[in-house]
Amino acid sequence: MAREGDGINLAYPDSETRRGRVGKGCSQTLDCSGQMGTLMRGGRIRRLTPRECFRLQGFSDELFDRASAVNSDAQLYKQAGNAVTATVAYAVAMSLPESRS
């Protein structure tokens, strides 16, 4: 059961067989199609904006503004979905035994 502020995957809204994924207080994996949303007050679901997707990936608003000047929203969702979050990549690398020496 999703609560206010939870992330919701909107990829299959009318499916009878696929279960929706809910992130408790966070967003699940961003995909290239921009199908991530969040639960608002009153039970409304709002799709994340391209700027919010860029922020979740750790990009500055300045970089987003530069990208949005030459790209459509669809392309911005693809760029955010294809990005690798630097802090996550660093944490994974540091968890490897050879990184600790």
Side-chain angles (χ1 to χ4, degrees), residues 12-67:
Y12 302 99
D14 298 322
S15 177
E16 297 290 328
T17 58
R18 293 190 139 231
R19 188 177 69 155
R21 294 190 177 104
V22 174
K24 299 297 181 185
C26 65
S27 177
Q28 297 289 330
T29 302
L30 294 177
D31 59 16
C32 295
S33 61
Q35 295 297 318
M36 203 62 211
T38 186
L39 188 62
M40 305 287 289
R41 284 193 183 133
R44 293 188 57 204
I45 297 174
R46 179 180 64 81
R47 184 175 167 182
L48 295 180
T49 65
R51 182 179 298 272
E52 290 170 323
C53 292
F54 266 66
R55 287 176 176 167
L56 286 169
Q57 292 289 44
F59 293 111
S60 68
D61 283 349
E62 178 186 347
L63 286 174
F64 172 79
D65 292 337
R66 290 172 56 193

